[in-house]
């Protein structure tokens, strides 16, 4: 049905879809949490903000779980290298994930203002950590990570947690932070009480303008200050997964693919359209601003993925050990079987998610919160 090369491309694209799904669906949750003490002036308003995300945040994490599972099954070498070498970063990320449900539940257990403030700040910190760490991770992919394989394909890692926070990686973290703050604010503008929505509109415009500036700076830095990786010699696209069966050179441009395939420029174009569209429509406090924010998020992630292609995880220690689409996947049979499962279950997930959001549509007002919490 599909040859090995096509299956590898399909699964590379599906991982991109899952990343976009995670960033879009879970990104606004983290954005709202990070802005909780900025958009919410008192406990009533913060309760409104939390009620806009509490019914759906857990379901949104399906995209994160699916992404991890897909990497485990479709790209086992990538899974092993990233989860082993980046263990501490993954641990910090998971702690931030765990803080969120604890914060949602524990802040409601007592009415003491100091108790609620502690868990409010826990939610803020969890949101910021996830957004920054994910951006830093993407930035490090362009810089190369400190791992290598020996002749028996045993991986060794020669870097620490704090070594990940290099200047370009930190810039990527700020790109991610500003993008998802704008995304969270656009959700609040659409879903929260009008008094809160007015503030969310201002935050969304500021954050999206900041994203625009940072994204351009990151692009220029990537083009002129970060050496690109390139596979030299013949590329075997349908061979066994052995990262050491190729040669890789450093010194080119990460935008080489954009020059070879001009259609790639559509991805950053979509991101810019999303940011500008958000600026133009967010004032209406409707779905338009959130829709354009989704375009901005998806365009940003796809832009990075296309620049990296065919690399999945470049190595800074031994370029030949870099993992690519052609040498880090599972077998053809595994990819084909998983594709069949995905074709069946992915539409079900999308339809169910759409139904949930339709049921939960509407704006959360201060009046509703006061009545439901007995504050009237």
């Amino acid at each position: 049905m599909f040859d090995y090369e096509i299956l590898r491309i399909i699964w590379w694209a599906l991982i991109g879809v899952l990343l976009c799904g995670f960033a879009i669906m879970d990104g606004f949750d983290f954005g709202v949490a990070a802005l909780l003490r900025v958009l919410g002036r008192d406990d009533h308003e913060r309760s409104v903000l939390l009620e806009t995300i509490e019914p759906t945040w857990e379901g949104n994490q399906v995209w994160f779980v699916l992404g991890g599972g897909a990497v485990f099954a479709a790209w086992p070498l990538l899974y092993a290298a990233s989860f082993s070498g980046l263990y501490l970063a993954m641990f910090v990320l998971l702690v931030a994930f765990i803080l969120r449900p604890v914060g949602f539940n524990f802040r409601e257990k007592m009415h003491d203002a100091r108790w609620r403030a502690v868990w409010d700040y826990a939610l803020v910190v969890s949101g910021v950590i996830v957004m920054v760490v994910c951006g830093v991770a993407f930035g490090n992919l362009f810089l190369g990570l400190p791992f290598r394989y020996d002749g028996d394909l045993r991986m060794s890692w020669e870097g620490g947690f704090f070594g990940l926070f290099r200047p370009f990686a930190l810039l990527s973290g700020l790109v991610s932070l500003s993008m998802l703050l704008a995304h969270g604010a656009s959700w609040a503008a659409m879903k929260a009480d009008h008094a809160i929505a007015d503030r969310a509109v201002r935050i969304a415009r500021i954050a999206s303008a900041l994203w625009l500036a940072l994204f351009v700076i990151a692009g220029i830095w990537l083009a002129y200050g970060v050496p690109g990786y390139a596979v030299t010699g013949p590329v075997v696209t349908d061979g066994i997964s052995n990262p050491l069966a190729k040669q890789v050179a450093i010194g080119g441009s990460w935008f080489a693919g954009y020059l070879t395939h001009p259609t790639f420029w559509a991805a950053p174009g979509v991101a810019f359209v999303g940011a500008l569209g958000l600026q133009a429509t967010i004032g209406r406090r409707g779905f338009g601003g959130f829709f354009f924010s989704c375009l901005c998020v998806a365009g940003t992630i796809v832009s990075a993925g296309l620049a990296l292609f065919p690399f999945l995880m470049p190595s800074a220690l031994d370029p030949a050990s870099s993992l690519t689409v052609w040498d880090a996947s599972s077998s053809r049979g595994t990819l084909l079987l998983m594709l069949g499962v995905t074709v069946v279950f992915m539409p079900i997930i999308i339809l169910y998610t759409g139904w949930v959001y339709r049921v939960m549509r509407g704006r959360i007002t201060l009046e509703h919160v006061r009545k439901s919490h007995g504050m009237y």
Side-chain angles (χ1 to χ4, degrees), residues 155-352:
M155 190 205 76
S156 59
W157 188 278
E158 301 180 16
F161 174 70
F162 293 104
L164 299 174
F165 295 91
R166 294 173 280 182
F168 179 78
L170 287 173
L171 175 61
S172 299
L174 292 177
V175 171
S176 173
L177 179 64
S178 58
M179 176 182 73
L180 294 179
L181 286 178
H183 195 43
S186 68
W187 175 261
M190 180 179 69
K191 290 286 291 181
D193 188 271
H194 287 287
I196 304 171
D198 290 341
R199 293 179 216 128
V201 168
R202 293 194 292 272
I203 295 295
R205 283 176 170 157
I206 293 170
S208 60
L210 182 60
W211 169 86
L212 189 61
L214 292 173
F215 188 67
V216 170
I217 293 171
I220 295 172
W221 192 339
L222 189 63
Y224 297 103
V226 179
Y229 285 56
V231 179
T232 58
V235 178
V236 180
T237 59
D238 57 355
I240 62 172
S241 290
N242 180 2
L244 299 180
K246 66 178 184 303
Q247 290 80 42
V248 175
I250 302 178
S253 171
W254 281 116
F255 287 95
Y258 281 80
L259 299 177
T260 306
H261 306 283
T263 53
F264 282 12
W265 291 103
V270 167
F272 283 121
V273 167
L276 296 176
L278 185 152
Q279 292 277 345
T281 60
I282 191 67
R284 301 171 192 168
R285 300 167 184 79
F287 178 72
F290 183 70
F291 170 76
F292 281 110
S293 179
C294 292
L295 288 184
C296 180
V297 172
T300 302
I301 294 173
V302 174
S303 297
L306 291 174
L308 281 167
F309 186 83
F311 290 92
L312 298 171
M313 189 170 167
S315 168
L317 299 181
D318 176 23
S321 294
S322 300
L323 301 178
T324 73
V325 172
W326 315 123
D327 56 30
S329 74
S330 295
S331 66
R332 179 181 179 276
T334 301
L335 296 183
L336 188 59
L337 176 62
M338 288 178 56
L339 182 60
V341 174
T342 302
V343 168
V344 173
F345 286 101
M346 183 69 79
I348 295 174
I349 293 171
I350 293 172
L351 289 172
Y352 172 75

